Amino acid sequence: MFQQPIAPVGGSLGWSALVAALPLLLLFVLLGVFRVRAWRASLIGLAASLVVAMLVYRMPTGQAFSSAAEGVAFGLFPAMWIVVNAIWIYRMTVASGHFDVLRRSFASVSDDFRVQAIIIAFAFGALLEALAGFGAPVAICAVMLVALGLPPLKAATVALVANTAPVAYGAVALPVITLSRITGLPLDDVAAMTGRQVPFLAVIVPFVLLGLLDGRRGLREAWPAALVSGLTFGITQYLMANYGPVQLADIVASLVCAGCVLLLVRRWRPAGGARTAAAQEAGGEPGLAVAAGGGPGAARSESGGGPGAASTDLASSDRRADVLRAFAPYGVIIVLFALVALPPVAAALGSVTKSFGWPGVHVLTEAGKPLSLATFKFDWLANSGTVLFVAGLLSVIILGLTPAEGGRCYGGTLRQLGGAMVTVVSVLGMAYVLNLSGQTATLGQFLAGAGGLFALLSPVLGWFGTAVTGSDTSSNSLFGLLQVSAAQHTGMSPLLAAAGNTSGGVLGKMLSPQNLAIGASAVGLAGKEGDLLRRVLVATLILLPLMCLLVYLQSTPVLGWMVP
């Protein structure tokens, strides 16, 4: 039995925290400074965490490697099991030709690429995050943005930043559900408090996207689209998180957001006229749009007309049956997830779930309590990845593919995500070593020493956990209980601290190594993860202080009335 030490370096919490942070600092320096490929940097980070665990924290060698193995197993299932099946469905829409139909359908909503990007990356991406999460929205939306004519690096950046506001309730609200289970706080309270924080991000993110897409001109000309999409998503997310089934928070919010933007563009057009991505990149004049039959950025003439009138229906060449078939796989996903969320169905699927102690891992906290992470949960049937796999099998039929074509698409997906898979399992292996050896607890307690200012740091801890693991769910598993414990010692509301963890965590997802790898590989930029990191770092450094300030004010009488 291994009992975690909190301050193994000379009894000093500060020096111990510095040493515990070394694997993480090494990982990000390799990525951001030396531009090492994500899978290599992640393997080096994993090795560093093992060295610190064994040499500094005196974790037995066998337990250290068993901890890494558990993280690798979690990375394969459920993380990559979800991502692979989600991307498989996307690849089948490409192979069947229906991805072009889908792209033209989105493009037909508006002849301005900034509005198209908001609908795809923010609204449609939020729906994908609500259903699958784990990087799938980034990969799918980035490819769709490239198809609109955006450069690959910009497309991946926009997709990563857009994948922020829906994360707390992603994968059918798995992060907040996990947070509730880890902390013992009521799910309704956790969901409600989180729903009084992340909707503020939803209002801001579309404006950040406009800045990334077209700079000041985008903000000046297309701000109504950002305002409508942000407000409708944020308000609906708040209402669902506080008064509706939390599992449907992002699903309903994304659909309401998309519907309201569609209504807006029927009456409004950007002030400077419609623009395509190709015209923006070339510095050309507005008034150009994507041709129905041409490639991204092809020019066509305008017909004039009233506000919101497009000169040509870009989807007019597609039969209604083809449009319905293009959207059908995502409709199937929604229906299947709605079915498995029903209590009787969920209970039946969960009845075959197996939980067992991970072999070779026998760890106690400093207080002598066993860690829940040492128990592995194999929910092979009641799992989002399995639901997506079933949806994929149905999509083979819906899209008119043969079983052999579906199999080839699956093989292609595995090859495409090979590097991302190594990154994911390496980072999660490192996260488990950090957590089970005590390195995470050291860092957490060091931050908790801030006393009354801990409210400012609470979101930073969640951001840090998600940046490392790539999952707000994992961040809540790592730091949720620690946040509650620290809050109790500082006089802060435990519920507020727990919610601060998941709300800060949503801002760390855009720069996590595995999401950077997924975004880069999806648009053909494997090996350029460092360039992508520098792009998204600006956005997270803008939004994170705002979240820290919000949580701090909620811990004071100024906004304390917002805490249930």
Side-chain angles (χ1 to χ4, degrees):
M1 184 67 67
F2 168 71
Q3 188 165 3
Q4 296 177 337
I6 295 300
V9 182
S12 169
L13 183 61
W15 284 109
S16 299
L18 179 61
V19 173
L22 288 179
L24 300 167
L25 294 174
L26 176 62
L27 173 64
F28 285 110
V29 168
L30 290 174
L31 277 174
V33 178
F34 294 101
R35 303 188 183 187
V36 176
R37 296 190 66 168
W39 67 269
R40 291 177 179 170
S42 300
L43 284 173
I44 294 172
L46 172 58
S49 69
L50 286 168
V51 169
V52 173
M54 292 182 292
L55 297 184
V56 179
Y57 282 75
R58 302 298 180 184
M59 190 178 198
T61 301
Q63 294 218 43
F65 280 93
S66 291
S67 299
E70 185 182 3
V72 169
F74 183 81
L76 293 173
F77 185 95
M80 290 309 301
W81 176 237
I82 292 172
V83 174
V84 166
N85 289 320
I87 304 301
W88 175 44
I89 294 173
Y90 152 71
R91 286 183 68 96
M92 287 193 291
T93 65
V94 174
S96 66
H98 288 87
F99 178 77
D100 289 332
V101 177
L102 197 66
R103 175 181 61 79
R104 288 192 293 269
S105 296
F106 279 120
S108 68
V109 171
S110 170
D111 49 10
D112 188 278
F113 84 101
R114 298 162 297 191
V115 178
Q116 295 167 357
I118 286 178
I119 293 174
I120 292 172
F122 188 72
F124 185 58
L127 178 61
L128 294 174
E129 177 66 29
L131 298 174
F134 287 96
V138 173
I140 293 174
C141 292
V143 174
M144 296 183 73
L145 292 174
V146 170
L148 289 179
L150 285 181
L153 187 60
K154 180 179 286 189
T157 303
V158 169
L160 282 164
V161 174
N163 186 223
T164 298
V167 168
Y169 302 98
V172 202
L174 182 59
V176 291
I177 292 173
T178 300
L179 184 61
S180 172
R181 291 176 181 173
I182 291 293
T183 61
L185 297 171
L187 174 59
D188 290 344
D189 290 345
V190 172
M193 188 65 246
T194 306
R196 300 175 192 192
Q197 294 173 346
V198 292
F200 289 98
L201 294 177
V203 177
I204 299 173
V205 167
F207 290 94
V208 176
L209 297 181
L210 284 182
L212 290 171
L213 288 163
D214 201 21
R216 292 181 179 178
R217 176 166 49 191
L219 290 167
R220 184 176 63 250
E221 296 177 353
W223 65 266
L227 182 64
V228 169
S229 59
L231 280 178
T232 55
F233 186 94
I235 291 173
T236 306
Q237 188 184 54
Y238 161 78
L239 292 174
M240 293 299 298
N242 282 267
Y243 307 109
V246 63
Q247 292 85 352
L248 300 180
D250 281 346
I251 295 176
V252 175
S254 61
L255 294 176
V256 170
C257 170
C260 289
V261 174
L262 291 178
L263 291 175
L264 171 70
V265 297
R266 294 182 64 180
R267 300 281 183 178
W268 164 87
R269 300 182 74 180
R275 291 182 58 79
T276 67
Q280 191 273 341
E281 293 302 319
E285 294 299 320
L288 301 175
V290 180
R300 64 169 172 79
S301 61
E302 292 187 353
S303 64
S311 61
T312 304
D313 181 3
L314 298 183
S316 61
S317 60
D318 299 313
R319 297 179 305 166
R320 183 178 296 272
D322 289 330
V323 174
L324 292 175
R325 184 175 289 181
F327 281 94
Y330 301 101
V332 168
I333 292 173
I334 294 173
V335 171
L336 288 180
F337 272 102
L339 288 175
V340 300
L342 296 175
V345 179
L349 296 177
S351 64
V352 297
T353 295
K354 301 295 181 182
S355 297
F356 55 90
W358 189 260
V361 177
H362 309 286
V363 180
L364 297 177
T365 65
E366 185 189 30
K369 297 180 179 180
L371 281 176
S372 60
L373 277 185
T375 300
F376 191 84
K377 184 178 181 182
F378 185 59
D379 51 348
W380 63 276
L381 195 54
N383 180 275
S384 297
T386 304
V387 175
L388 289 169
F389 181 70
V390 174
L393 295 177
L394 294 175
S395 297
V396 173
I397 301 172
I398 292 172
L399 297 173
L401 298 173
T402 65
E405 290 172 329
R408 284 194 292 272
C409 288
Y410 206 95
T413 301
L414 293 175
R415 289 189 295 273
Q416 174 189 350
L417 295 177
M421 192 174 299
V422 174
T423 302
V424 169
V425 299
S426 299
V427 169
L428 283 169
M430 181 176 68
Y432 270 69
V433 172
L434 293 174
N435 189 64
L436 290 169
S437 67
Q439 295 174 65
T440 297
T442 297
L443 291 166
Q445 287 202 17
F446 178 75
L447 290 175
L453 294 177
F454 178 70
L456 279 173
L457 299 177
S458 176
V460 176
L461 196 57
W463 168 86
F464 172 76
T466 304
V468 174
T469 66
S471 165
D472 200 25
T473 301
S474 298
S475 178
N476 289 339
S477 298
L478 291 171
F479 297 133
L481 191 57
L482 183 62
Q483 292 264 19
V484 169
S485 176
Q488 290 170 340
H489 286 90
T490 60
M492 180 182 174
S493 165
L495 179 62
L496 177 59
N501 192 86
T502 196
S503 297
V506 306
L507 296 169
K509 191 167 185 177
M510 68 178 76
L511 48 76
S512 65
Q514 60 265 44
N515 279 285
L516 291 171
I518 290 170
S521 63
V523 296
L525 292 178
K528 299 291 186 180
E529 293 86 0
D531 294 337
L532 194 53
L533 172 62
R534 285 186 290 276
R535 291 288 190 96
V536 300
L537 190 60
V538 176
T540 195
L541 291 179
I542 291 173
L543 296 173
L544 182 59
L546 296 177
M547 180 55 66
C548 291
L549 179 61
L550 174 62
V551 174
Y552 175 74
L553 292 176
Q554 288 176 334
S555 71
T556 69
V558 177
L559 294 180
W561 51 270
M562 297 181 69
V563 181

